[in-house]
Amino acid sequence: LANNPHTIESMDVYSNILYVKEDHVELTLLARRLADEDPYRSETCCVIGNFYSFRGAHERAIVYFQRALKLNPSCLAAWTLMVRRLCLSRRFSV
């Protein structure tokens, strides 16, 4: 981020790290920045989905992961995160 603050590529991966570290402040800032820069990228939708997921808004998170998949059906991160949210929201059982 320091070298190129406008990069969006791989920010979905970075948001996963922030999620696991429970760094809600940085995750919130990242979600806001990407939503302002380019809301129509799958990476942005994954970051926003992670933001909502962290807040416990699983249904809202699922909406954003679905948007990511509409924008990029081969986005593995979106598939993985969406299935996890579906399991947590009890809409899908394995």
Side-chain angles (χ1 to χ4, degrees):
L1 285 175
N3 292 339
N4 187 357
H6 299 289
T7 188
I8 294 178
E9 188 174 325
S10 299
M11 287 297 106
D12 52 337
V13 175
Y14 181 57
S15 76
N16 289 335
I17 293 168
L18 295 174
Y19 183 94
V20 171
K21 287 177 59 177
E22 299 183 6
D23 189 345
H24 69 280
V25 172
E26 192 64 33
L27 182 57
T28 301
L29 293 173
L30 180 64
R32 285 182 182 170
R33 182 178 67 82
L34 294 183
D36 287 344
E37 283 188 29
D38 193 349
Y40 303 107
R41 291 273 302 260
S42 61
E43 295 92 338
T44 299
C45 292
C46 284
V47 171
I48 296 171
N50 266 337
F51 164 77
Y52 282 116
S53 179
F54 188 84
R55 297 188 66 193
H58 299 298
E59 295 299 320
R60 189 84 169 146
I62 290 167
V63 167
Y64 276 93
F65 296 136
Q66 288 173 333
R67 285 181 187 175
L69 291 170
K70 285 181 183 176
L71 294 167
N72 180 3
S74 64
C75 181
L76 184 59
W79 281 109
T80 304
L81 294 167
M82 185 175 67
V83 169
R84 177 151 170 71
R85 291 309 129 222
L86 287 170
C87 289
L88 289 174
S89 69
R90 302 190 193 322
R91 287 179 38 195
F92 180 79
S93 60
V94 285

